[in-house]
Amino acid sequence: MTNADHEERPERPSEADGTAHLFRALGKQIKVLRERAGLSQKEFAAAVHCGEALISAMERGVRTPQPEFLELADPLLGADGVLIAAIEDVREAQKKSRTRHPEWYRGYASLEAQAVQLYVYTNQSVPGLLQTEAYAHAMFSQWKPLLSEETIEKRVADRLARQQIFDPWPSPTFSFILDESVLLRPIGGRAVHEEQLRKLLRIGRMRTVQLQVMPLDREEQPSLDGPFTLLTPKKQQQVAYMEIHTYPRLVTVPEEVRVLAVRYGILQSEALTPRDSLALIEKMLGEL
């Protein structure tokens, strides 16, 4: 069976053990409590020190409310201990929930969830960890052979769920190098493109994130072979991951990983500084 066949067939989601239902129900409760308290998503997000998009995702059941969030939100929403009472169930559900990624991706997804360092270079599209919901939906809608609407929604939810990696503290250390062509490609149309650029600015300003742009006018480009990721799981050696047309390769041979690490270092030196990279994205937004 090909990887394309795996994409067409809905994978077994975490709904099989009930955890997704729990998270969706909890998200609905948070929404009801927030609205009863007379708070907008933006106002609530400011009160709990997180992004408005995260509040929206939790209320829709796309992102899992972390125990620390529930402890903070309970008194703010006047929940009288209702959210705090759910913490143990949330922790248990997180242990039991099974990853919903395609079979060929699950090995990497497991390592990514354990990462203490994550370095990503891409010259094709915005990395999944940085994508907006609309951008991710546009990407999967263009998949060939075409995916069913159900599968697209599952893939989008899974991709957004991966972004919880930014939430814990202490957070992993992130480095992203995006080829300028990625920023020029208006996947999904102008509105989606603009929202995506704004999200890159938002994440690029995080203390744990270093975001750089590789300009198209550079004469030195050490990774024309394509995108790759360097990942260091907790208490493990660094590994590399690359994927071409959904055919994955996890590189664990130290010498091969070292070659890619050296390549990434050269990319960092040739790319714009993080400050200049954010300035370039701001300029692009101003020209839309």
Side-chain angles (χ1 to χ4, degrees):
M1 183 176 289
T2 67
N3 288 324
D5 292 327
H6 280 294
E7 284 295 326
E8 291 180 310
R9 187 191 72 242
E11 299 289 337
R12 288 195 308 169
S14 60
E15 279 87 338
D17 58 17
T19 58
H21 293 299
L22 169 64
F23 297 141
R24 280 200 295 268
L26 189 54
K28 291 177 181 178
Q29 290 179 344
I30 291 171
K31 181 178 180 180
V32 169
L33 289 166
R34 174 183 61 77
E35 291 178 341
R36 190 181 69 178
L39 296 174
S40 67
Q41 288 184 340
K42 184 176 182 180
E43 290 169 335
F44 183 38
V48 293
H49 312 296
C50 69
E52 183 179 353
L54 177 59
I55 297 298
S56 175
M58 284 192 290
E59 290 184 353
R60 289 180 287 116
V62 173
R63 297 282 289 273
T64 304
Q66 298 299 310
E68 297 80 5
F69 170 86
L70 295 174
E71 289 177 351
L72 185 59
D74 191 280
L76 287 171
L77 297 179
D80 298 324
V82 171
L83 297 181
I84 290 177
I87 288 176
E88 287 307 312
D89 290 325
V90 167
R91 285 178 174 149
E92 190 63 27
Q94 287 175 325
K95 292 177 184 177
K96 292 182 178 179
S97 63
R98 293 189 289 269
T99 182
R100 298 180 290 171
H101 300 289
E103 187 70 37
W104 51 268
Y105 190 75
R106 289 177 185 169
Y108 171 77
S110 176
L111 289 174
E112 184 183 83
Q114 307 170 46
V116 294
Q117 289 184 329
L118 192 65
Y119 299 164
V120 180
Y121 166 69
T122 181
N123 58 4
Q124 297 174 353
S125 61
V126 173
L129 287 176
L130 306 183
Q131 290 179 9
T132 65
E133 181 176 357
Y135 188 100
H137 194 280
M139 289 285 293
F140 286 119
S141 296
Q142 297 176 26
W143 200 282
K144 299 295 186 297
L146 294 173
L147 304 177
S148 69
E149 287 301 319
E150 179 187 8
T151 301
I152 290 172
E153 291 304 318
K154 287 179 180 178
R155 292 287 178 266
V156 172
D158 296 342
R159 181 153 292 182
L160 295 180
R162 286 173 55 210
Q163 296 176 8
Q164 292 182 87
I165 195 173
F166 291 107
D167 298 339
W169 189 263
S171 167
T173 301
F174 301 94
S175 171
F176 297 96
I177 302 177
L178 280 60
D179 195 86
E180 187 178 356
S181 61
V182 172
L183 305 180
L184 295 172
R185 193 169 293 123
I187 300 294
R190 178 172 175 170
V192 173
H193 186 211
E194 180 178 351
E195 181 189 26
Q196 181 60 71
L197 291 179
R198 292 192 186 283
K199 180 164 185 176
L200 292 178
L201 281 179
R202 193 163 58 248
I203 294 181
R205 291 172 178 144
M206 295 173 65
R207 287 192 298 145
T208 55
V209 175
Q210 184 179 69
L211 190 149
Q212 294 178 264
V213 176
M214 173 63 76
L216 289 172
D217 62 3
R218 286 292 190 263
E219 295 182 4
E220 295 289 332
Q221 224 296 12
S223 191
L224 293 174
D225 291 343
F228 64 92
T229 296
L230 292 168
L231 185 153
T232 306
K234 188 175 183 179
K235 297 182 180 180
Q236 297 184 47
Q237 295 296 314
Q238 187 177 57
V239 298
Y241 176 81
M242 56 195 73
E243 178 187 314
I244 299 176
H245 296 291
T246 72
Y247 288 92
R249 184 185 176 210
L250 186 64
V251 182
T252 58
V253 178
E255 180 60 26
E256 294 183 27
V257 175
R258 187 191 67 80
V259 170
L260 289 170
V262 170
R263 187 175 297 178
Y264 196 88
I266 298 173
L267 283 166
Q268 286 180 306
S269 66
E270 291 291 334
L272 296 175
T273 66
R275 177 176 295 180
D276 289 343
S277 297
L278 295 181
L280 176 61
I281 297 173
E282 289 177 336
K283 180 182 177 182
M284 289 180 172
L285 275 167
E287 294 172 351
L288 288 179

